Amino acid sequence: MGTGPLLLLASLEGLVMAAVLALAAVGLSLTFGVMRVVNVAHGEFYMLGAVLAWAVAQFVPSAPMGFVAALIFAPLAVGALAWLTDTALLKRLNYNPESTIVATIGLSYLLQQGALSFFGPDARAVQAPFELRLQFPWFGYSGYKLFVIAAALAVLAAVWWILSRSRAGLVMRATQVDRNTARAFGINVDRVYAGTFALGAGLAALAAVLIVPISQAHYLMGHDPLLLSFIVVIIGGLGSLRGTLIAALIIGLSDGILSMLYPPTLAKILATLVVALVLVFRPQGLFGAKA
Amino acid sequence: MAAVILEARGLSRAFGGLRAVDGVDLTLTEGEIHALIGPNGAGKTTLVSLLSGRLAPDQGTIRFAGEDITRLPAQTRVLRGIAYTFQITSIYAGLTVFDNLALALQRRHRRDLADAVTQAATRIGLAPYLQTEAGTLSYGHQRLLEIGMGLALSPRLLILDEPTQGLANAEIEDFLTLIRGLTGTTILLIEHNMEVVMALAQRITVLNMGRVLASGTPDAIRADRAVQDAYLGGGHAAD
Amino acid sequence: MRPALLHIGVLAALVAAGFLLPAYQHGMLARILVMAVFAMGYNLAFGYTGLLSLGHALHFCAGMMATGLAMRHGLAAGPALILGLAAGTATAMLTGLLALRTAGVSFMIVTLMFAQAFHLTLLYYGGFTGGDEGFPLPSAARRLFGLDLTQAGPRYAVALALFAAGLLAQWALVRSRFGRSMIAMRENEERSRMLGYNPFTTKLAALALSGLYSGAAGAAYGLLFGYVGASFGTSQYSILPLLYVLLGGAGTTLGPLLGAGLMAWLIDAASSLTDSPLAVIGITLIVLVLFAPKGILGTLREKGLKWLP
């Protein structure tokens, strides 16, 4: 294969990565933007989405049916769990930033242990809903991966529409700006928070359902998405949806391309250091407006 | 004529488009009590924040005791002898009165810290409360502790930002006695209560819209037409 | 007077335990003491200075690695241990120089990222560091002051000596002028600045001391238990000291020991129910943060035992 086709392949892989990453990162960004909560258990919500997709596939015999069922069920179930977490845990902590980080660290351990106990330590594969191989002149490529890109784009467009055009989005943005004023205007802030947290977790779960036919389910699989979501959210500017999308695209693409050229560990080392340095020297993110 | 201790020239600081302090000159002479008055939003707190180093000026210079301190950070200015007491009480609410005062005193009193703390507490009438958690003191006592921590630094210049705000009349009397008892300390006083200003100040600077409107003795300020029009409203205290 | 008696009493009880307990519990107690030293270091940063770091595994593991690698290349245990202390201090100062430009949540994430990068670096140079699998220290080299550290008795003695030194130094430190200025940073940074304290240098010094303790704990852990590995640099080893300090009581001198001991006992007691400590750690963190954010000794101090150090 020549350099051109290799680059095309790497870009495609990067796009798949970027699409899934954007979904997970937008979830994290939403909870931070609206609620000022850093959710360390976000990676575990992602993991739960994948594990649930596998579980659903065990009950539904046909792959396409199972996939559709998982696509609906997993985000809802994870969202419900997140709703419960918000009302039972985060609300009682008054959303104190440091306490909520410690609490969500505890939650992530608990969820990992839960997945390990019920799901076991092995990685499990889930069948893709359809097998389609697109033949390029230089290589064949999975049609499902292209579908993942399209599906993620569709969901992101829907999220963007909800945030910028719908009443729910207006209420969320109002709460983000000033929760006391929002409350004074009759907005049920408790419900907005619980809903935002559920939506953020649901997006992570959805991303995982999409990716699991490609990369298998495992109880420790939440680590990398959490780290990458952090990176995307911080580089993109905390709480900025547009910045998050751009950063997801850049990081997803560069990760796809770089990991073909360099060892992944080295890429991760550089990425974590970049995040730390961005937070130190440019806390508003690379794309956020200067505060 | 006493020596000049602080001299600010052409100080300016803007927030966005608002020029909170706009080309202010201010001279303080050693040992004087100098009041800074003006309507809300005149730029008083911004000005003293520039002097104490909590904010950096956009333009202008500040000289203290003959040296240029314009670029020094706040904590270094404190060590040079400029103390600042907060408008909104800012004490260590979770620590005892003893620890609050000790933090102000421990750098200069290595051997006799306990005695020095007791003395400082006695001066502000808080000696019985040394082991009390500062956050549980009454509001008036917390204000006194705030001032006491500033005094405990033995500063050459003490900046008091609305020290009597929220105090009862009897507490204001105690405050006046405390300040009159100081010798050698230069005091820059932001104050809304004109009785306090007239009782203490030897000189007054009036600030309006970020600029110096007038500066002089209390009598001269009282007689100044521009001040009367803009601020005093015919010689009466205004808030 | 009462705090002095309490500290001496605790140390005396630990000495007595060395003579009375069977060998199995010796090993466990030695481990608890070393982890308590780590937690005391964490307590200096978080409990006393208010710096909530999520990256202390970096300093612990740096201390361990420096000592382990030095011994692997032929250095004697004593100098290797010193090297470990230096590594913990140096990493804390270096990361602190950058991380202290941030505060609050950003500080937590920056420290987390530095620790993550360090762990990944250890893995990347796995050929040199042994990676996650690590490497054993040669038994013959594990001798300190003529004591054979492969034996349970001397091992406990060294762990206890390190802990005692750490505890007494911590107690002296927090009663000192510098200790008071550390606490002042936690309570009200702006007020401290306006009393003439430099927040940056005060916090950096606190972090350096915290790194010294963490490095000492990591180095001693490797030396006493004969094994060194990058797995001690994972985020779990950043969470453990936080957990110990939260449980025992942040900003109390004996909280770290109490937390480390109770947690070891909890995980041991729960091992009949579950084969992994993860759930126990998770539940304890959540319960603490919800119902007892001041920890055991912090709550006792609030409820009347004001003299508790």
Side-chain angles (χ1 to χ4, degrees), chain C residues 60-272:
Chain C
F60 182 77
C61 194
M64 174 184 270
M65 272 291 162
T67 300
L69 288 172
M71 287 178 67
R72 195 190 207 184
H73 289 90
L75 204 65
L81 194 63
I82 306 283
L83 211 59
L85 307 192
T89 314
T91 52
M93 288 192 76
L94 278 177
T95 54
L97 276 175
L98 290 168
L100 284 176
R101 292 172 56 115
T102 66
V105 169
S106 294
F107 182 81
M108 297 166 82
I109 297 177
V110 169
T111 49
L112 182 76
M113 291 295 162
F114 279 141
Q116 184 85 17
F118 180 73
H119 177 235
L120 289 169
T121 308
L122 291 180
L123 295 186
Y124 187 66
Y125 293 105
F128 181 63
T129 64
D132 258 340
E133 284 169 14
F135 57 89
L137 294 182
S139 297
R142 288 167 56 204
R143 302 186 68 88
L144 200 62
F145 308 122
L147 293 171
D148 179 2
L149 298 180
T150 58
Q151 301 298 313
R155 179 156 63 192
Y156 183 77
V158 169
L160 180 54
L162 178 70
F163 172 77
L167 178 69
L168 295 177
Q170 182 195 231
W171 186 38
L173 178 71
V174 301
R175 285 157 45 97
S176 72
R177 287 158 216 272
F178 178 68
R180 192 182 274 128
S181 67
M182 276 165 52
I183 295 170
M185 288 303 152
R186 177 191 76 195
E187 292 288 316
N188 188 339
E189 182 172 328
E190 188 56 15
R191 170 80 265 179
S192 304
R193 205 154 75 90
M194 297 317 288
L195 288 181
Y197 297 97
N198 185 332
F200 185 79
T201 50
T202 307
K203 290 192 282 189
L204 190 62
L207 273 185
L209 284 168
S210 178
L212 172 69
Y213 271 72
S214 308
Y221 200 101
L223 192 59
L224 294 180
F225 303 107
Y227 167 76
V228 162
S231 56
F232 290 99
T234 56
S235 62
Q236 193 177 330
Y237 279 85
S238 293
I239 303 305
L240 283 177
L242 167 67
L243 177 66
Y244 298 153
V245 167
L246 276 178
L247 178 59
T252 64
T253 52
L254 288 166
L257 174 68
L258 185 64
L262 263 181
M263 218 48 228
W265 175 77
L266 258 179
I267 288 172
D268 198 48
S271 62
S272 53

Side-chain angles (χ1 to χ4, degrees), chain B residues 111-196:
Chain B
R111 302 238 165 266
D112 54 340
L113 184 59
D115 289 344
V117 168
T118 309
Q119 251 175 40
T122 307
R123 178 150 71 161
I124 50 173
L126 292 184
Y129 302 102
L130 276 179
Q131 292 311 317
T132 307
E133 207 170 285
T136 64
L137 292 172
S138 71
Y139 177 77
H141 281 162
Q142 291 192 21
R143 281 307 299 168
L144 280 175
L145 180 57
E146 170 87 41
I147 295 164
M149 287 165 80
L151 287 176
L153 292 166
S154 304
R156 300 179 67 183
L157 167 62
L158 176 61
I159 300 173
L160 297 167
D161 197 346
E162 302 205 21
T164 65
Q165 193 184 36
L167 291 189
N169 281 336
E171 291 168 330
I172 291 180
E173 280 306 319
D174 292 342
F175 168 76
L176 292 178
T177 314
L178 180 66
I179 296 302
R180 286 200 188 102
L182 298 174
T183 49
T185 309
T186 313
I187 291 176
L188 180 61
L189 173 73
I190 296 185
E191 187 55 65
H192 273 302
N193 184 331
M194 288 310 288
E195 285 174 29
V196 172

